[in-house]
Structure formats: C-alpha cells, structure tokens
Amino acid sequence: MRNTIYDNIYKRIQKQECTLTFEKSKVIEEVCQMMSLLNESLLELKKYVLRIGFESPSEEIEFFKKIKPGIQGKLIYYNRIFKIETTSPVKEGGCYYKHLTDQQTLLQKEFKQHFANSEFYRYYRSLREDQDDIYFRLGNISVTWGLQNFAFDIDYQFSTYYDSQVAFIIANDLINNYIMLRLNPDKDIEFSKSINYQNYHDLFWTDSKNALIELIYALHASRALSNGRLGISKICNVFSELFSIDVGDLHHAFHRMKVRAGSKTAFLDQLKENLEQYMNKDL
C-alpha cells in the first residue's frame, strides 16, 4: 500500500515533467504548474505519514533520506527557476547572461555558507549509511548541533531537519545544471531531452550505487559512448536522470574502489559471469 502511494505520486510528477519544454516563452508557466503539483504532493505525503506512520526504522530512513527530499528538492529547484526567470531584466543577450552568471555566483556563495564545511554534507556525498539512524529518523534533533536558524521552525512530526538539507543539495545540483545549460544555448535541446528521461518511471537501478559507478567509469574508460567525447560527469548525469538515482560523490566513491580489497571490478566481474551463465542456458 505504501509503495503504491509513493509510486502514484512519483508517476504524477514524472508525467507532468514530461510536458516541460523549458522554452523561454513558456518556462515561467511550466514551473508554476510544477511547483503547484510538488507542493500538493508533499501535503499528501505529510497527511499520510502523520496518519499511518512508518512500519520500520528502515522505511522511515528511506522516506526522509530519499522520498521526501527528492520531491522537496525539485520544489526548491523549480521555485529557483521561477525567481531566476522573473527577476531577469531581459530574456536574451548579454544582460540575460550576466544575470545568469550572477545567479551562479550567488549559488556558489550559498554553497560555501551552508555546505562547504558541513560534516553532514561530506557524510551524504560520500554515500555513507552508518549514521542514518541519527540523521534520518524523527526526534533526534539537538539544539546544540549548530543548526541553521530555520531548523527551529520545521515541523518535527514531518522532518528530521537533515531531509531538508538533502533537498537543498539535490536542488543546488539541478539549479547549477539549469544555469549552465542556459548559459550555453546550444544545449537547450539536450536539457529538454534529459528531463524527458523521467518518462521511464518504471525503470529503476536496483543494484548498489557503487555498482553503477563502476559501470559508468567502465563505459567512460572504454570510450563506448559518443566515441569517448563525453566526460565522466556527463555520463553520470545521464544515468542519474534515467534511473532517478542520486549517485553522490562520484570521484570519491571511485577512489575508494581503487583501493578496496579484492577485485576492483566486482560488479563487472559479476556481469560477465551472469552473462556467460545466461548464454550457456541455451547450449
């Protein structure tokens, strides 16, 4: 029942995202519609959580680490696009690009202020899970942790505080991508296509994040995509969009793989073994 509710909400969001064009003449109206839908979705989730609660600690952690931040992060993202586009003095030319550059600088300042020296940011980006019980379960917030001021205004029945931090991290990544693609008009079409990956709502990555990172680096190293012209971050973004997964700190995870015990290519080794077994079935 729970998965059905979550899936239905995601499907509505993904269906709406498939209609986005991000054309400059339409973007304000489009993001307003997205904000309305996302806000309604969060309210629906809140009513459900307050009424039903969670069946297990693991479900609670997944909700506040992935499900809620994924939706809230997009709400922050589309709201930021709305502000960027409605405060721009013009829609074309040097003034518009200057406005975008200023927004990019502001985003960088916000990152330095809120995340650059954050222990939690390093925890989340490094894909750790050992403190999830502290960060992503209700009732664990301590006023002595040096929280940001807005933390004391949050709804303690529907937030662990750190789920909002994850939402801002997700939003910042999306906002930076939006600004970068607006600054390079030749990538506008590419941006629209990346959003349309959301159409594959029934396609999920069900192995570990490290396995996906291993695959991404293998494709990059073998120059199997676009004759090797795509950077590793670009490939990562494609897979993140396609599989609706936050890969996290790609380079840090890869460094850990390089020094781990045993096979450095455990997932690829398993892929090869599974494929050979599958081929031998028909022999």
Side-chain angles (χ1 to χ4, degrees):
M1 179 64 177
R2 295 167 189 272
N3 289 337
T4 300
I5 291 173
Y6 298 156
D7 288 345
N8 287 341
I9 289 174
Y10 273 121
K11 286 177 182 178
R12 290 200 300 268
I13 294 171
Q14 291 164 349
K15 182 178 179 180
Q16 185 67 33
E17 284 188 317
C18 288
T19 68
L20 299 177
T21 66
F22 286 92
E23 295 177 9
K24 291 177 182 177
S25 61
K26 300 179 181 178
V27 65
I28 294 175
E29 179 183 357
E30 289 177 347
V31 299
C32 282
Q33 293 173 350
M34 283 303 310
M35 286 189 291
S36 177
L37 175 60
L38 290 163
N39 188 57
E40 291 173 1
S41 299
L42 283 174
L43 290 175
E44 182 178 346
L45 281 176
K46 181 177 180 179
K47 290 179 181 178
Y48 179 80
V49 167
L50 293 181
R51 181 168 56 89
I52 303 298
F54 301 103
E55 292 181 341
S56 65
S58 61
E59 182 192 358
E60 183 178 352
I61 289 171
E62 182 181 16
F63 181 83
F64 287 113
K65 188 175 184 178
K66 299 178 182 179
I67 295 172
K68 183 191 171 190
I71 297 174
Q72 187 179 9
K74 287 193 174 185
L75 178 58
I76 298 169
Y77 164 59
Y78 288 116
N79 180 259
R80 188 63 170 265
I81 293 178
F82 177 81
K83 291 179 179 178
I84 290 172
E85 297 298 341
T86 55
T87 59
S88 177
V90 293
K91 296 301 180 184
E92 300 288 346
C95 288
Y96 181 66
Y97 294 122
K98 173 64 165 58
H99 174 67
L100 292 174
T101 303
D102 291 342
Q103 292 295 319
Q104 192 174 47
T105 300
L106 177 61
L107 195 65
Q108 292 168 350
K109 288 182 179 179
E110 291 172 350
F111 170 79
K112 290 180 180 179
Q113 178 182 355
H114 299 299
F115 295 118
N117 298 313
S118 166
E119 179 180 344
F120 172 75
Y121 181 81
R122 293 190 292 272
Y123 173 87
Y124 179 75
R125 286 300 200 191
S126 61
L127 308 180
R128 287 170 54 189
E129 299 178 346
D130 54 287
Q131 296 187 51
D132 282 359
D133 277 329
I134 297 175
Y135 289 129
F136 300 111
R137 296 197 65 191
L138 294 168
N140 290 336
I141 298 176
S142 171
V143 296
T144 64
W145 286 358
L147 306 178
Q148 297 176 26
N149 291 336
F150 75 84
F152 304 106
D153 295 323
I154 66 175
D155 186 340
Y156 288 89
Q157 293 182 300
F158 191 60
S159 179
T160 70
Y161 169 71
Y162 287 98
D163 58 281
S164 295
Q165 293 287 285
V166 174
F168 276 106
I169 293 171
I170 292 172
N172 281 1
D173 289 345
L174 293 171
I175 294 161
N176 183 65
N177 189 47
Y178 178 83
I179 294 173
M180 290 293 292
L181 290 166
R182 281 299 195 211
L183 286 170
N184 189 339
D186 292 338
K187 293 186 178 181
D188 277 355
I189 296 176
E190 190 172 331
F191 176 72
S192 297
K193 287 181 179 178
S194 69
I195 292 297
N196 283 335
Y197 284 135
Q198 299 292 340
N199 189 41
Y200 298 95
H201 56 78
D202 57 346
L203 186 62
F204 301 101
W205 183 260
T206 53
D207 211 302
S208 68
K209 288 185 179 181
N210 281 345
L212 180 57
I213 291 171
E214 193 176 315
L215 177 62
I216 289 171
Y217 269 93
L219 292 171
H220 175 67
S222 63
R223 302 173 64 85
L225 299 176
S226 301
N227 294 318
R229 293 193 301 270
L230 293 182
I232 193 72
S233 296
K234 185 70 172 184
I235 299 173
C236 179
N237 288 340
V238 170
F239 277 92
S240 295
E241 288 284 350
L242 181 59
F243 294 123
S244 300
I245 183 173
D246 177 18
V247 176
D249 191 333
L250 185 76
H251 303 290
H252 185 74
F254 182 66
H255 176 73
R256 294 202 309 272
M257 290 180 193
K258 290 168 62 177
V259 297
R260 67 187 176 188
S263 174
K264 294 181 174 61
T265 57
F267 178 64
L268 296 179
D269 295 343
Q270 188 63 49
L271 278 183
K272 180 176 181 293
E273 181 180 339
N274 291 345
L275 179 59
E276 289 177 345
Q277 291 176 356
Y278 186 80
M279 288 176 171
N280 291 334
K281 286 181 180 180
D282 297 329
L283 295 179

